[in-house]
């Protein structure tokens, strides 16, 4: 419960309203512009790391997890290659959730993998696991899991279902293979961030994707500062596979 006697306080050299939580402070700083952070002597990586430590305090922090996080924070597009159990999926999923929680009304993340059943055991299952863990410790975190839509969103609907949810913000799973047909991301090339918002893509098992998988990136990259963030990962099996081509 908020403390009615709480007073404004200072952290990171900034003044905060009474009862502002440590996590909300990190979210507010992350959601600001690079110019604002530079003016206040703040480094974006430090606050993503601090937010992750608050949300998942039992998770290990080590040099590889820090390298992965720093790479995602500092680059518009980041690609991870490595063997199984090298923490690629968890690193991506934690970044996606924190990034969305900082701006839940202005960000949409597309999360892709080969097909839904496999993704439930990999990236989509990990995202839901981390989402539930975060909400257990911090119930005020935004969003709800919509199993039918394969999405995590803040969008609401009316009780009689006469109006549907508009998934213009949130974290949405995109299967790139339906049956024996590769769909890729072609249906999402026209997706754009909201004004002042973020469009993100997190691709798992990219080495197994059709070569046309990355075509959408040509339309997404190079927009306004911070408007797009792309992350891809997988276990490469050939220097000519889709993941290696994307990295090159």
């Amino acid at each position: 419960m908020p403390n009615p006697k709480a007073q404004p306080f200072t952290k990171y050299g900034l003044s905060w309203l009474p009862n502002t939580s440590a996590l909300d402070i990190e979210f507010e700083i992350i959601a600001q512009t690079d110019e604002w952070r530079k003016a206040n002597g703040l480094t974006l990586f430090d606050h993503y790391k601090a937010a992750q430590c608050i949300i998942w305090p039992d998770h290990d922090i080590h040099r590889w997890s820090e390298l992965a996080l720093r790479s995602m924070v500092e680059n518009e597009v980041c690609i991870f290659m490595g063997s199984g159990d090298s923490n690629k999926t968890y690193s991506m999923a934690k970044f996606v959730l924190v990034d969305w929680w900082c701006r839940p009304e202005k960000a949409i993340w597309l999360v892709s993998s080969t097909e839904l059943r496999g993704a439930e055991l990999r990236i989509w299952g990990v995202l839901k696991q981390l989402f539930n863990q975060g909400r257990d410790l911090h119930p005020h975190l935004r969003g709800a899991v919509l199993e039918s839509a394969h999405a995590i969103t803040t969008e609401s609907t009316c009780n009689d279902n006469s109006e549907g949810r508009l998934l213009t913000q949130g974290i949405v799973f995109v299967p790139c293979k339906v049956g024996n047909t590769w769909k890729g991301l072609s249906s999402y090339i026209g997706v754009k961030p909201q004004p002042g918002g973020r469009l993100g893509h997190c691709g798992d098992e990219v080495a197994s994707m059709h070569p046309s998988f990355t075509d959408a990136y040509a339309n997404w990259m190079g927009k306004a500062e911070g408007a797009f963030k792309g992350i891809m990962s997988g276990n490469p099996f050939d220097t000519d596979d889709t993941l290696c081509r994307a990295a090159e």
Side-chain angles (χ1 to χ4, degrees):
M1 293 294 291
N3 180 1
K5 297 182 179 180
Q7 299 295 317
F9 62 96
T10 301
K11 186 175 183 179
Y12 301 128
L14 301 169
S15 296
W16 301 95
L17 294 174
N19 299 309
T20 303
S21 71
L23 185 54
D24 285 338
I25 289 175
E26 305 303 335
F27 284 171
E28 179 64 26
I29 292 173
I30 293 171
Q32 294 294 331
T33 64
D34 287 338
E35 183 179 1
W36 181 90
R37 283 186 293 271
K38 184 177 181 180
N40 288 281
L42 303 172
T43 303
L44 187 57
F45 165 80
D46 295 334
H47 299 284
Y48 271 98
K49 179 181 175 181
Q52 290 188 0
C53 290
I54 294 170
I55 298 171
W56 302 287
D58 296 333
H59 289 203
D60 291 335
I61 302 295
H62 45 77
R63 64 191 179 111
W64 295 116
S65 65
E66 289 197 348
L67 177 61
L69 178 58
R70 189 179 297 277
S71 298
M72 289 182 282
V73 168
E74 296 179 353
N75 295 281
E76 182 181 28
V77 177
C78 187
I79 295 176
F80 295 105
M81 298 182 181
S83 61
D85 298 325
S86 57
N87 209 39
K88 302 185 302 296
T89 301
Y90 271 87
S91 296
M92 294 191 305
K94 289 167 75 172
F95 178 85
V96 169
L97 282 167
V98 169
D99 192 77
W100 179 68
W101 271 325
C102 291
R103 47 181 80 80
E105 306 296 346
K106 288 190 174 183
I108 180 168
W109 273 89
L110 305 177
V111 178
S112 66
S113 188
T114 49
E115 40 80 35
L116 178 60
R117 182 173 297 180
E120 288 284 0
L121 302 175
R122 296 191 296 269
I123 183 67
W124 189 240
V126 169
L127 272 164
K128 292 192 292 184
Q129 176 189 359
L130 292 172
F131 176 84
N132 291 337
Q133 289 175 355
R135 286 289 299 272
D136 286 345
L137 193 59
H138 305 278
H140 71 285
L141 286 171
R142 302 286 303 280
V145 176
L146 303 183
E147 293 288 359
S148 60
H150 313 305
I152 300 172
T153 181
T154 59
E155 292 282 9
S156 60
T157 188
C158 57
N159 293 331
D160 62 1
N161 292 319
S162 61
E163 297 180 5
R165 296 176 191 254
L166 299 175
L167 295 181
T168 56
Q169 64 227 18
I171 303 171
V172 182
F173 176 71
V174 179
C176 291
K177 187 177 183 181
V178 179
N180 294 320
T181 303
W182 286 98
K183 300 292 186 181
L185 297 171
S186 58
S187 299
Y188 298 86
I189 288 177
V191 176
K192 298 178 182 179
Q194 298 182 41
R198 167 99 88 188
L199 166 63
H201 169 253
C202 174
D204 194 29
E205 302 298 328
V206 174
S208 302
M209 298 298 179
H210 188 274
S212 64
F213 173 78
T214 56
D215 288 353
Y217 270 65
N219 196 51
W220 291 339
M221 292 175 60
K223 306 298 183 183
E225 177 186 331
F228 176 69
K229 182 73 73 172
I231 314 167
M232 291 179 272
S233 77
N235 306 329
F237 49 80
D238 188 277
T239 55
D240 199 39
D241 66 30
T242 302
L243 182 66
C244 290
R245 287 189 178 194
E248 184 179 355

